[in-house]
Amino acid sequence: MTNTMYTPFKEIDFGFSDAEGYVSSNKDMFNNIFIGDELEALMSPDKYYLIGEKGTGKTAYAVFFENNDYKNTTSVRMNLEDTDILSFINMKKAGHLQLSEYKDIWEVVLLINIIRCVRKDDIDAIFSFKQKKYDAMLAVLENYGLLAFRPEVVTTLSVIQKNSDRIASELKASILAVSGTTEGASSFETAEGSETKVIQNSIFLLKNLLIDVVKGLRLKKNRFLFIDKIDVYNSSSINFDEYKLWVKYLAEAVYYLNTSVFRAIKDRKGFIKIVLLLRPDVFDKLNLYNQGNRIRDNSVILDWQTSYRDYRHSKLFKLADNLLRYANNAVDALDPKDDGFYWDLYFGWKSSSTDPNTRTQDDSFISFLRFSLCRPRDIVEFLKAIKQQAILVNSQQTDTTFECFHSYKCQKSISDYFLQEARDWCLYKYPNGEFETIKHFFGFMNTGKAVKYSEYLTYYNEYIRSCENRSKMIVFEEMETPEDFLQLLYELNMICYIETAESGETYQIYCYRMRSISDLSPKIPPNKEYRVHRALLKSLNIEDENRV
């Protein structure tokens, strides 16, 4: 076969950078390119937290389960939004919700959303009495419009806040009517007293009633609820401490329902599970009870790291090759190629070796790795940037060239992407103005070379004085000491530190490289040398200075 039979690079569709786009379109493409090494781990009834850096595929796993009936499992995603946090905060401000009751209200919201997800034909009909209790519960919830929507928080919370006492009372009466007795009445207290006390008591009563019915469910297939977009909110209108509490009690509610309610269901063919999608830095700040064991026993951590030596066996390389293979699926169906063939077809060029002691040249994928944080989103964005360059020069070729990847426009596009990723990473805590303050620092550390700690301190002191003299520069808590600010830059992966081996060889150590199941928030050591990530240099207007 000749190259003319393959799709020209500029015509390849590289899909969506955010996997959520595959919910409504290109599902076949998504299933063909998806790398699902953690699917079996997520199938475990004991895995409740999916932890991964921004861009590592947390949403992709949730979308895969949502799009596919995988091993007798159907799933739904629930995206959280700013308005969800504000609903909790407003209930608290109105005096209807104490901090200690965040967990209770989350449990009610999650139980109702699980009930929305379960279809009647999922339930084993042989348990007729429990089926009647379930039907009675559905009738009450339906009457208040709680089953009319896709899983969400604001609507559920609003209805509960206005009607929790009536819902709880009607639900209790319906369940007892089905029983034909007062069985279980002693375990449910009647809500009475002031409006605030009524709401608080009725939420607790409603939670216990829902749990009682859900524990009686016997499912024929698995039902998963994935909770996503927790770190995407407008920090300019929501206090970070409020946000942390909101997520903390959500994580506690997820743990309680999974361990004490869903796992307690006996004689089941299928099981219910809620999975919370979290960034490692967010999870680490929650200070959950027994947090270390939850990470080890109840979490799946996404890790795409690879090395220059072993990249052809990595998930990142397989993803890139899958994208190129899918673009040629008709040809490949007639003449299937080995793994890596399509990458070599399109990216057969080499570049100067970054380690002349072990290799004379670097493969093209190594050039990708040098600019990446080992995230699948990085690879997709790089391919899109190269495609735009191929369109710009009207390339008719199948293969891409060294010049195409290293062109100024392509490299600037990649650099802009990384700066935007850093900005987005900050949004869960820092408004856009504060990110501009962070970015301002690099006007002082204006070099692509490694700098000593003493040099960093000089840059930092000049930077702080400059910020204090500028009305639009917001000096925030993490800027108050040079150590805290250095740590922030490290967590953003905007800088690394240099480690020197006994052999004299140097290594650039980034935060994402050091994260592990035992250390979700690695610290940057003082008194080292530090460097700006090469992918940021163009967007920060820093000269590369022939950096290796």
Side-chain angles (χ1 to χ4, degrees), residues 184-280:
S186 61
S187 63
F188 303 128
E189 298 179 2
T190 302
E192 55 186 23
S194 67
E195 179 188 4
T196 296
K197 192 65 176 176
V198 166
I199 292 175
Q200 292 168 354
N201 288 347
S202 60
I203 286 173
F204 185 74
L205 170 59
L206 179 58
K207 180 187 81 169
N208 286 332
L209 288 165
L210 293 172
I211 287 174
D212 179 63
V213 176
V214 169
K215 276 187 173 180
L217 290 177
R218 300 297 183 270
L219 298 185
K220 293 182 284 187
K221 64 189 310 179
N222 308 323
R223 274 283 175 179
F224 293 176
L225 173 63
F226 287 89
I227 304 175
D228 198 3
K229 308 301 182 187
I230 290 169
D231 59 336
V232 181
Y233 79 100
N234 185 359
S235 53
S236 61
S237 59
I238 299 170
N239 179 274
F240 179 63
D241 290 332
E242 291 277 9
Y243 164 78
K244 261 199 316 187
L245 289 171
W246 180 76
V247 179
K248 175 185 175 71
Y249 287 106
L250 168 59
E252 293 286 11
V254 167
Y255 184 80
Y256 171 76
L257 291 176
N258 281 317
T259 57
S260 301
V261 179
F262 305 145
R263 278 176 55 180
I265 299 174
K266 306 295 183 183
D267 305 318
R268 61 190 183 185
K269 296 177 183 176
F271 64 93
I272 302 172
K273 185 172 76 165
I274 302 174
V275 181
L276 188 60
L277 279 55
L278 284 163
R279 280 177 16 192

Side-chain angles (χ1 to χ4, degrees), residues 104 148 164 170 367 468 547:
D104 286 334
S164 58
E170 291 177 26
S367 294
E468 290 173 343
R547 170 177 175 167

